[in-house]
Amino acid sequence: VAALFAKQAALLLNILGCTMCSNIAFTMPVACYWQLSRQSRRLPWYEKACLAFLFFMGVSLSIVGVFSFARAQSLHPA
């Protein structure tokens, strides 16, 4: 039974991985650190720029992953 649904399970893991992993690795820690540091001190401009870069890198990786998934789906439909 598992062999019959292996391709669909792989596609599901692919889309979950590309959206959730980049958000968990890059976006959420930056957002939490930024929020916590705002309560204790004011961030200098270079630290804000670095955090913004990391945040947008996580968002862009997630978007690229979704487009990659959609492209693979269009080339090899299930």
Side-chain angles (χ1 to χ4, degrees), residues 34 41-53:
W34 199 319
R41 65 184 175 95
R42 182 177 159 95
L43 293 175
W45 68 269
Y46 55 87
E47 197 169 334
K48 285 181 184 178
C50 184
L51 290 173
F53 172 75

Side-chain angles (χ1 to χ4, degrees), residues 13-68:
L13 289 174
N14 187 12
I15 190 71
L16 286 175
C18 70
T19 56
M20 298 305 289
C21 289
S22 63
N23 285 328
I24 290 171
F26 294 103
T27 310
M28 289 307 297
V30 169
C32 292
Y33 176 76
W34 199 319
Q35 184 66 29
L36 290 173
S37 64
R38 281 180 51 200
Q39 295 172 358
S40 63
R41 65 184 175 95
R42 182 177 159 95
L43 293 175
W45 68 269
Y46 55 87
E47 197 169 334
K48 285 181 184 178
C50 184
L51 290 173
F53 172 75
L54 286 173
F55 183 83
F56 288 118
M57 186 174 72
V59 170
S60 63
L61 285 174
S62 181
I63 291 170
V64 167
V66 169
F67 283 135
S68 169

Side-chain angles (χ1 to χ4, degrees), residues 5-16:
F5 299 107
K7 188 171 185 175
Q8 288 84 4
L11 292 174
L12 177 65
L13 289 174
N14 187 12
I15 190 71
L16 286 175

